[in-house]
Amino acid sequence: MERITLNYTYMSDVISDEAFMQIQPEVEQALRATLEKTGAGRDFLGWVSLPHEIPEALLQDIQQTADALRAKSDVIISIGIGGSYLGARAVIEAVQGPLAPYHEATQVLYAGHNISSWYMQDLLTFLEKKDFSLIVISKSGTTTEPALAFRILRDALEKCYGKEEAGKRIVAITDKAKGALKQLANDEGYKTFIIPDDVGGRFSVLTPVGLLPIACAGISIQEFIKGFRAMASALTAESSLKNNPALAYAAIRTLLYRQGKQIEILVNFEPALHYVSEWWKQLFGESEGKDGKALFPASVDFTTDLHSMGQLIQDGVRNLFETFIIVNKNRHTVTVPHDESNLDTLNYLEGKNLNEINFSAYQGTALAHKDGGAPSMTIELPELTPYYLGQLLYFFEIAVAVSGYLLKVNPFDQPGVEAYKKNMFALLGKPGVEQATHEIHTRLERIQPKHIVTLEK
Ligand SMILES: O=P(O)(O)OC[C@H]1O[C@H](O)[C@H](O)[C@@H](O)[C@@H]1O
C-alpha cells in the first residue's frame, strides 16, 4: 500500500545524520508521552486513538443525516470557525477543488468564520433562490462569530420554511452538555452530534465536526477514516526517526528551530491544497505558539506566489525553510496545444501536459531556494483522495504533538486566544463585565488621539 513519504534531501547540509541520531531519544520520549497520555495537556489526547475507536453506528448516523440534508438542499452552510471549520473545508476543497461550488450538485458553503456584513449579505442574497440547510458547529458553544452567523442564518431559514421545517434543516455539533448551543439545540429539538471532551477543536476533523460537512459534500467518510487508520497504525508502531516520516518531520523542524530558523513555509503547487495549509497553520500555530516560542507557520500557493513572495524566499532574511507538499498522481491532464504562429514562443512545450510543467516548476524552485539558503523538505502524497488526505491529516497531528513536546510547551491548550475576546466583549458591553467595559473605554480614549499621520490636502 502506498503511503505518504518525507524527502529531506535538500536539508542534508543543515541536518546532519549525527544531529538526527542525537535527537532520537527526545523524540521517542515525546512520542511515548503522546501515546501513553502522560505529557502536558494529556486530557486532550483523545484524537490519538480516535481512528480505531469511532463507532460504526455513529458513522452511519452521520451518513444518513448528510444524505437527508443533501436530498433537500442545493446548499448546505457549515457554520464554524477555527477547528470547527478548517478541517472540513481543507478536505472538501482538496478532494473537489477550489471551484467545487461551481460544479457540485450540492454546494457546501461556509459562514461563521468572520464578522463581515458584506460576506453575510452576499450569502443571504444567494440563498434567496436556493433550498438550503445549516450545520452549526462549536465545541464551546459560545464562540461569537459562529453564534452570530447562526442567529442570522437561522432567522433567514425560519422565514423561508417556517419554524418547524427549519428545525429539520438544522444540525448542531457541540459539547455533550455545556454551552449555549447545546441548550438551544435541546430546546428546539435539533438533530445533534457530540464533540468528545478529550478532542480539542483543531484535532476534531475526524469527529462529526469534520465528518458531517465532508459527507454533505458527497465525499466518502469511510475512505477518509481508512486513511486515518492506516496512518495511525503505522505511525504509532514505529519510534525510529529513520522509519517514521511524522517523527522525522517533527525532528527536522525542531532542529532547524534550534539552529535559529524562525519561519516554516508550507508550500503547495495545487490550488486545491490551499485550505490544507490554513488547517495546518492553526494546528501548528495554536499548538506551539506560546511561552515566547515557536516557528511561525506560514504558507504560500505556488506557482502563484512565486510571483509575489518568491523574491523574499529566494533572497530575503535567511530565517526560513520550506515544506513542500507534492501530489504524485494528478487527477487531470491538460495538454499544451499547437499554435502555428508561436508568438508566445511556447511551441517547445507543445504536447506536454501542465502536470509536467508544474513538476518542473517544483524541481526548479526547490533547487533555486536551496542554493539561495532556504532549505526544504518535501512531503509526497500519492494522490488527492479522501484516503490519502486522512493519512496526511493524521501525519500532521502526530507531528505537532511530538514537535510541541520537543519545544516543551503544552500543545493542547490555547490560553492566548482569550485576550482579544476579553477586550472585544468589554468594548461591546457584554453583561457581567461592566468594570472591564469602563476600563477599556477609558484606555482607548487615552490612546486614540495620539500619533496619527494623515495627508493635509
Ligand atoms: O468550536 P469553538 O468552541 O466554537 O471554537 C472555535 C475556535 O475558536 C477558539 O477561539 C479557539 O482558539 C480555537 O481553538 C477553536 O477551534
Side-chain angles (χ1 to χ4, degrees), residues 43-48 50 139 195-207 209 397:
D43 294 341
F44 293 94
L45 280 158
W47 56 271
V48 175
L50 199 58
K139 179 158 159 79
I195 309 172
D197 284 343
D198 57 359
V199 180
R202 57 189 175 276
F203 293 87
S204 68
V205 66
L206 202 64
T207 73
V209 170
E397 289 181 358

Side-chain angles (χ1 to χ4, degrees), residues 370-404:
K370 176 188 160 17
D371 290 345
S376 65
M377 55 187 151
T378 296
I379 295 167
E380 283 183 31
L381 203 59
E383 212 179 335
L384 277 185
T385 59
Y387 175 75
Y388 289 117
L389 283 158
Q391 287 199 10
L392 182 70
L393 299 195
Y394 193 82
F395 167 94
F396 279 133
E397 289 181 358
I398 281 288
V400 80
V402 170
S403 181

Side-chain angles (χ1 to χ4, degrees), residues 80-85 137-147 173-174 195 200-204 209 282 286 413-414 416-418 420-421:
I81 197 165
S84 294
Y85 155 64
I137 310 172
S138 178
K139 179 158 159 79
S140 64
T142 56
T143 307
T144 309
E145 291 88 337
I173 305 177
T174 189
I195 309 172
R202 57 189 175 276
F203 293 87
S204 68
V209 170
Q282 184 191 1
E286 213 171 50
D413 65 0
Q414 56 284 333
V417 183
E418 298 309 312
Y420 98 90
K421 293 183 190 172

Side-chain angles (χ1 to χ4, degrees), residues 254-363:
T254 300
L255 289 169
L256 291 168
Y257 178 70
R258 290 177 186 173
Q259 286 174 20
K261 295 291 185 208
Q262 293 169 326
I263 299 166
E264 176 179 6
I265 310 179
L266 193 70
V267 186
N268 67 68
F269 281 78
E270 193 56 70
L273 284 169
H274 178 83
Y275 274 92
V276 168
S277 297
E278 297 303 308
W279 173 86
W280 172 88
K281 282 192 280 192
Q282 184 191 1
L283 188 71
F284 280 82
E286 213 171 50
S287 299
E288 296 199 315
K290 48 201 73 161
D291 307 338
K293 297 192 256 191
L295 284 164
F296 185 93
S299 66
V300 288
D301 301 329
F302 283 172
T303 60
T304 312
D305 294 333
L306 278 173
H307 300 266
S308 55
M309 293 294 287
Q311 171 64 38
L312 184 148
I313 297 169
Q314 181 71 42
D315 227 6
V317 184
R318 302 296 74 194
N319 62 351
L320 54 85
F321 65 94
E322 290 171 294
T323 300
F324 292 96
I325 301 184
I326 288 300
V327 184
N328 287 337
K329 187 171 169 208
N330 293 284
R331 182 94 45 95
H332 300 286
T333 304
V334 177
T335 308
V336 179
H338 178 70
D339 180 357
E340 201 55 54
S341 72
N342 195 28
L343 284 175
D344 54 14
T345 68
L346 290 178
N347 272 358
Y348 79 103
L349 295 175
E350 183 189 332
K352 270 203 193 306
N353 74 60
L354 293 183
N355 301 322
E356 294 173 71
I357 302 171
N358 206 21
F359 191 71
S360 296
Y362 152 65
Q363 287 183 308

